[in-house]
Amino acid sequence: LPRALSTRSHFAFWKAFFDDLGIAARLGTADTRRSVELGAAHSGPDFCLPLKAAVGQTVDLLRGETGAPVFLPFMLTDEPSPGLSQSRFCPYVETLPSLVQAALGHNGFDLSRLVSPMIDFRRPDEENARSIASALTPVLKVGWKDVSRALARGREARRRREEALAASGQRALEGLRRKGEAAVVIIGHPYSALDEELNKGVPRTIAQAGLAVVPMEGLSFDPSRLRGELQNLFWASGPRLLSAV
């Protein structure tokens, strides 16, 4: 899996999913600077920096000697939240496999190694399971019911991870309150805010100045805090960003 974009927030999901199917899931390189350089060399100037990193991650994985398949799904929507009308991903995330194929198709890469099912978490598990089972056919013969079970395992793993992060953040904030100390919450997309290269070391700089730093993931996501037009934001990330504020 490329270590970029939605994988940053969904790796716990996909790790549990593939574990359930008996497939070893591995992330791409942690060297984001190298990924950005590779991505810039193989993509257009209109690509944002996180997208360049995703393209570079894919280039690096396709150049790997193992010949392992690269899981690069079309991520259309995230899990819906109560009271919110939309949960779509950024268009670049939604169309990443097509963008990668267009960027790399004439550069000698074996694009048959890409496994790119259509994922729409608003739809019933059976629909996503059939899409994934079909895309996995060159790698693993698996029935959609087994994939549906694995999706449930992945969803539970993601829920546990988010709850653990929120609990850890709450403990940290409560400790700071007791000591009368201030903290800075880093609000942003996980694929940029939590990456040392893409965040340009801002969290580290704040910490070195003597302030505690808490990532947005350390706060519980509470969609009930949003009212009116804020319940109709198009992007799945928007409500999470505003809930943290």
Side-chain angles (χ1 to χ4, degrees):
L1 285 77
R3 190 190 297 258
L5 298 180
S6 65
T7 303
R8 287 283 186 176
S9 54
H10 285 69
F11 182 65
F13 178 98
W14 292 120
K15 176 71 166 58
F17 171 85
F18 284 117
D19 281 350
D20 190 78
L21 294 177
I23 301 174
R26 299 288 184 268
L27 285 171
T29 177
D31 187 350
T32 304
R33 179 170 296 182
R34 169 180 165 78
S35 297
V36 169
E37 291 172 353
L38 283 172
H42 290 86
S43 59
D46 54 326
F47 282 19
C48 64
L49 200 60
L51 184 59
K52 283 185 170 68
V55 173
Q57 282 272 325
T58 307
V59 168
D60 200 49
L61 289 169
L62 289 175
R63 283 179 174 174
E65 297 179 359
T66 64
V70 178
F71 189 71
L72 194 71
F74 292 91
M75 296 290 287
L76 301 185
T77 68
D78 204 347
E79 299 279 353
S81 298
L84 304 182
S85 63
Q86 299 287 346
S87 59
R88 299 198 71 93
F89 287 108
C90 161
Y92 280 143
V93 175
E94 293 180 351
T95 60
L96 180 60
S98 294
L99 295 172
V100 166
Q101 290 177 22
L104 306 183
H106 302 291
N107 290 282
F109 291 96
D110 181 10
L111 298 182
S112 67
R113 287 171 55 194
L114 296 179
V115 176
S116 299
M118 199 82 69
I119 307 295
D120 185 344
F121 283 126
R122 297 172 305 178
R123 308 302 301 165
D125 274 359
E126 179 178 344
E127 293 186 23
N128 288 312
R130 289 185 182 278
S131 175
I132 296 172
S134 176
L136 284 174
T137 297
V139 182
L140 178 72
K141 305 298 184 188
V142 60
W144 72 264
K145 291 183 179 179
D146 291 328
V147 176
S148 185
R149 182 197 64 235
L151 285 171
R153 296 282 176 84
R155 188 178 296 108
E156 175 62 19
R158 183 187 179 194
R159 183 190 64 78
R160 290 197 306 268
R161 176 183 179 273
E162 290 183 350
E163 288 179 351
L165 288 173
S168 176
Q170 185 64 31
R171 287 194 299 271
L173 291 173
E174 288 174 354
L176 290 166
R177 289 192 191 100
R178 285 195 297 270
K179 291 187 266 185
E181 297 179 3
V184 175
V185 176
I186 302 298
I187 296 177
H189 298 288
Y191 52 75
S192 54
L194 301 181
D195 185 281
E196 187 78 13
E197 176 66 21
L198 297 184
N199 67 27
K200 299 305 177 186
V202 169
R204 184 180 297 276
T205 299
I206 294 171
Q208 289 172 343
L211 288 170
V213 177
V214 178
M216 183 181 76
E217 289 68 25
L219 307 179
S220 295
F221 172 47
D222 183 7
S224 68
R225 298 184 63 193
L226 305 179
R227 295 286 186 270
E229 62 187 13
L230 297 183
Q231 294 176 306
N232 195 36
L233 296 174
F234 194 65
W235 311 123
S237 57
R240 290 181 176 270
L241 297 174
L242 291 174
S243 172
V245 174

